[in-house]
Amino acid sequence: MSQREWIEKDFYKELGVSSSASQDEIKKAYRKLARDLHPDANPGDTKAEERFKSVSEAHAVLSDPAKRKEYDETRKLFAGGGYGRGGFTPGAGGGFSQDFNIGDIFGQASAGDGGLGDLLGGLFNRGGGRTASRPRRGADVETETTLGFREAAQGVTVPLRMTSPSPCTTCHGSGAKPGTSPRVCPVCNGNGVISRNQGAFGFSEPCDECRGTGSIIDDPCVDCHGSGIQNRTRTITVRIPPGVSDGQKIRLAGQGEAGLRGAPSGDLYVTVHVSQDKVFGRNGDDLTLVLPVSYSELVLGTTVSVPTLEGRVGVKVPAGTADGRILRVRGRGVPKRGPGGGAGDLLVTVKVAVPQKLDDNAAEALKRYAEAEKTSGFDPRAGWAGA
């Protein structure tokens, strides 16, 4: 959310309450929304996650009487076009025609409020204080990889070759020619911003001399031209944990786009695609497979060797097993993620394989069996509703 978007943001609307709502009403509305929108209740739903963040930001302001008072007064002041100078030019509909630096209206926000102070930047630098510039973190990067079914289930290390903005190998990201260093900007004293006072308020704007970086490079690196960034192809070794599912994203901190002039890099998000397997299927942490069996094996019972992720195991088919029954082999499924460890189960579904053709001896034997079956009184359609 940009600074202009924040000043036009309606926190009351985010929580679904009126501007005159009591603290209890605000708390009640937030708790309901937070419960419904929490990422744990909406896995993989990015819209719900973004909405959850917006609701949390709104609650962090409106639940604090002091912050709420300043927020209300600020919106009332700006909505009325009270400050049309110093970068605050009312736009159509009471908005603003350009982005501006918001000072420290919530500079005292704690880490527990979801990073609100960092988000809002520095509105109202009271007492003439200046907000130190923060390095421009690199952007996050996304890529994809495709794994075999068994690789995804057991975990694998894969190399990813990608081309993206990376720290310059000549100046190591500083932007300055090797042997030299950037100097502190004399205009903003390294803050990257310049404060201007208007009555009781102090507003900040990027320093024109250093373009908001807080430093000046007199002798730029010849390879990156002072940016500290180069577009280069690199190979990253990624460890995919066991049990990753199709469509899941793996986050690699600091492996994204390089930050400007040595600032922290963004993150790399790897979306994993899992190909199908000829034998196995998957249901959560359980492996599934279909085991072909003969009619006689179901009737008389047998033990059949079946594959697992780690070798083979014997599965006992009890006498009289019905076609389609699922036999469970515990602990032979997909490794479970998390501190508990362990693995899911192997679910074996037995399915009768009917021979398309019998020789004379087998056909005669089957006929004798059918007669004996009738004599014993067995009726496969006994109790069937369609009989």
Side-chain angles (χ1 to χ4, degrees):
M1 180 170 59
S2 71
Q3 293 169 335
R4 182 181 67 183
E5 289 172 333
W6 174 80
I7 204 65
E8 296 177 345
K9 192 83 170 180
D10 189 342
F11 288 145
Y12 293 104
K13 185 177 180 181
E14 288 290 349
L15 294 180
V17 298
S18 68
S19 59
S20 60
S22 66
Q23 289 296 314
D24 286 340
E25 289 173 329
I26 290 173
K27 182 185 296 184
K28 183 178 180 180
Y30 168 71
R31 286 180 175 176
K32 182 179 185 304
L33 289 169
R35 182 175 59 251
D36 295 340
L37 298 170
H38 197 280
D40 290 345
N42 302 274
D45 190 337
T46 56
K47 290 185 179 179
E49 182 178 353
E50 291 302 318
R51 183 85 173 88
F52 177 76
K53 291 179 181 178
S54 298
V55 167
S56 299
E57 291 161 2
H59 177 257
V61 176
L62 301 184
S63 63
D64 187 311
K67 294 177 184 177
R68 181 181 179 183
K69 181 179 179 181
E70 276 193 294
Y71 170 71
D72 290 341
E73 292 176 350
T74 303
R75 280 178 54 82
K76 183 178 180 181
L77 176 67
F78 290 152
Y83 283 84
R85 303 183 303 276
F88 293 88
T89 304
F96 298 89
S97 62
Q98 61 182 10
D99 285 345
F100 51 90
N101 272 342
I102 300 177
D104 196 20
I105 188 171
F106 304 120
Q108 303 302 319
S110 66
D113 65 8
L116 187 63
D118 289 340
L119 174 68
L120 301 182
L123 175 65
F124 303 133
N125 292 314
R126 299 183 182 274
R130 295 181 178 180
T131 303
S133 64
R134 294 181 175 86
R136 292 176 56 185
R137 177 183 179 272
D140 293 335
V141 176
E142 294 191 10
T143 189
E144 300 178 337
T145 187
T146 300
L147 304 180
F149 182 92
R150 304 185 193 210
E151 290 178 325
Q154 296 178 297
V156 66
T157 299
V158 296
L160 292 180
R161 188 172 177 82
M162 56 188 298
T163 301
S164 64
S166 305
C168 175
T169 55
T170 302
C171 65
H172 303 289
S174 71
K177 183 179 180 180
T180 67
S181 300
R183 61 185 174 89
V184 176
C185 176
V187 176
C188 66
N189 295 323
N191 289 313
V193 294
I194 297 176
S195 297
R196 301 185 186 279
N197 295 322
Q198 288 185 344
F201 304 108
F203 300 100
S204 299
E205 61 185 13
C207 175
D208 291 334
E209 183 71 15
C210 64
R211 297 184 180 181
T213 63
S215 62
I216 295 176
I217 297 177
D218 296 315
D219 199 355
C221 171
V222 295
D223 289 332
C224 66
H225 307 290
S227 68
I229 300 173
Q230 284 181 317
N231 238 19
R232 60 188 177 93
T233 301
R234 55 194 172 121
T235 300
I236 302 174
T237 301
V238 181
R239 171 62 183 169
I240 306 296
V244 66
S245 56
D246 184 55
Q248 187 172 338
K249 287 188 176 182
I250 306 295
R251 173 177 173 267
L252 300 176
Q255 294 293 338
E257 184 175 311
L260 185 65
R261 294 186 185 178
S265 297
D267 298 334
L268 172 63
Y269 289 87
V270 182
T271 300
V272 178
H273 299 289
V274 181
S275 59
Q276 293 184 345
D277 190 80
K278 295 181 179 180
V279 176
F280 296 115
R282 183 173 173 180
N283 182 13
D285 292 327
D286 293 334
L287 278 181
T288 62
L289 65 79
V290 176
L291 175 64
V293 292
S294 67
Y295 173 72
S296 61
E297 287 176 322
L298 290 184
V299 174
L300 302 176
T302 187
T303 298
V304 183
S305 175
V306 299
T308 70
L309 293 176
E310 300 174 347
R312 304 184 70 85
V313 64
V315 174
K316 182 178 180 181
V317 181
T321 295
D323 180 46
R325 178 179 172 181
I326 298 176
L327 306 175
R328 182 182 298 269
V329 183
R330 298 194 179 278
R332 292 288 187 162
V334 178
K336 294 182 178 180
R337 302 183 63 187
D345 300 333
L346 173 64
L347 306 181
V348 180
T349 301
V350 293
K351 183 176 180 60
V352 171
V354 178
Q356 298 299 306
K357 187 177 181 180
L358 295 176
D359 62 20
D360 292 341
N361 290 334
E364 286 298 326
L366 189 57
K367 289 177 181 178
R368 289 194 300 271
Y369 168 77
E371 292 296 328
E373 187 179 69
K374 290 180 181 180
T375 302
S376 68
F378 174 72
D379 182 359
R381 288 171 286 282
W384 180 44

